[in-house]
């Protein structure tokens, strides 16, 4: 029935300010700008992230991004004044949470290898 996740949609308060933040702080590649919403490519994955001005609401849905160097990624975000949580471990995965300018939650993860 479905072949992939096309995009994850997030509401933000200020399109211009958030677009700049996602590009400069997280290193996302902007691939489309309609003037009302912006689409980003994240790394080598096929899915995208779309941001659009709107009512920012708490959500139980959280994009999870993979990192090959979780501790380094966390330190880079801390250096860029991003609100980040501590690294945690759950089974075969280590992860931490972080938040964008409007409080939208993300998670970064890495698989534990022997």
């Amino acid at each position: 029935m479905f072949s992939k996740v096309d995009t994850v949609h997030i509401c933000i308060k200020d399109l211009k300010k958030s677009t700049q933040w996602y590009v400069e702080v997280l290193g996302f590649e902007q691939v489309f700008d309609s003037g009302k919403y912006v689409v980003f490519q994240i790394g080598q994955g096929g899915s995208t992230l779309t941001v659009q001005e709107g009512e920012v609401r708490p959500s139980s849905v959280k994009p999870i991004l993979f990192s090959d160097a979780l501790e380094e990624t966390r330190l880079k975000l801390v250096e860029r004044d991003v609100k980040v949580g501590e690294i945690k471990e759950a089974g075969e995965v280590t992860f931490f949470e972080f938040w964008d300018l409007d409080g939208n939650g993300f998670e970064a993860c890495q698989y534990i290898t022997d």
Side-chain angles (χ1 to χ4, degrees), residues 56-75:
V56 178
R57 299 172 295 208
S59 173
S60 62
V61 176
K62 177 178 11 179
I64 300 175
L65 309 174
F66 182 81
S67 173
D68 286 319
L70 194 69
E71 290 182 24
E72 290 175 27
T73 299
R74 185 181 178 282
L75 288 175

Side-chain angles (χ1 to χ4, degrees), residues 25 71-82:
V25 175
E71 290 182 24
E72 290 175 27
T73 299
R74 185 181 178 282
L75 288 175
K76 283 181 185 178
L77 293 177
V78 168
E79 289 170 0
R80 296 172 185 177
D81 294 322
V82 176

